[in-house]
């Protein structure tokens, strides 16, 4: 079975206090500009992929805001 590799932003979970990473600012811009679009946290990626019949593997950060989200068929 072939896997899935998605190039997208993946926000850190919002379960801590402190200065938010810049990706949270991009999330706010996405909501305003694209009418509710959002960047996803690892938990949100897991839920969305599960709904589509995939299991979340790893999320690989890069030196930019892009992450590689790995998934495999369930």
């Amino acid at each position: 079975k072939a896997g899935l590799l998605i190039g997208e932003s993946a926000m850190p979970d919002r379960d801590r206090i402190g200065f938010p990473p810049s990706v949270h600012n991009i999330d706010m811009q996405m909501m305003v500009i694209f009418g509710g679009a959002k960047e996803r946290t690892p938990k949100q990626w897991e839920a969305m992929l599960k709904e589509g019949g995939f299991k979340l593997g790893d999320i690989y950060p890069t030196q930019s805001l892009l992450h590689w989200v790995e998934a495999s068929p369930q």
Side-chain angles (χ1 to χ4, degrees), residues 3 8 12-15 17 19 21 31 33 35-36 47-48 52-53 57 59 61-62 64-65 69 71:
E8 185 61 71
D13 290 317
R14 296 178 185 180
D15 58 358
I17 297 174
F19 186 76
M31 284 189 269
I33 295 169
M48 184 183 72
I59 297 177
T62 66
S64 69
L65 292 175
V69 180

Side-chain angles (χ1 to χ4, degrees), residues 1 3-4 19 29 32 36 42 45 48-49 59 68:
K1 295 182 180 181
L4 183 64
F19 186 76
Q29 292 173 8
V32 172
W45 274 111
M48 184 183 72
L49 289 166
I59 297 177
W68 292 109

Side-chain angles (χ1 to χ4, degrees), residues 31-61:
M31 284 189 269
V32 172
I33 295 169
F34 297 108
K38 62 182 176 183
E39 301 296 343
R40 291 179 177 84
T41 65
K43 290 176 186 174
Q44 291 169 329
W45 274 111
E46 184 175 27
M48 184 183 72
L49 289 166
K50 184 177 182 180
E51 194 174 304
F54 286 86
K55 179 181 178 187
L56 177 65
D58 287 320
I59 297 177
Y60 302 97

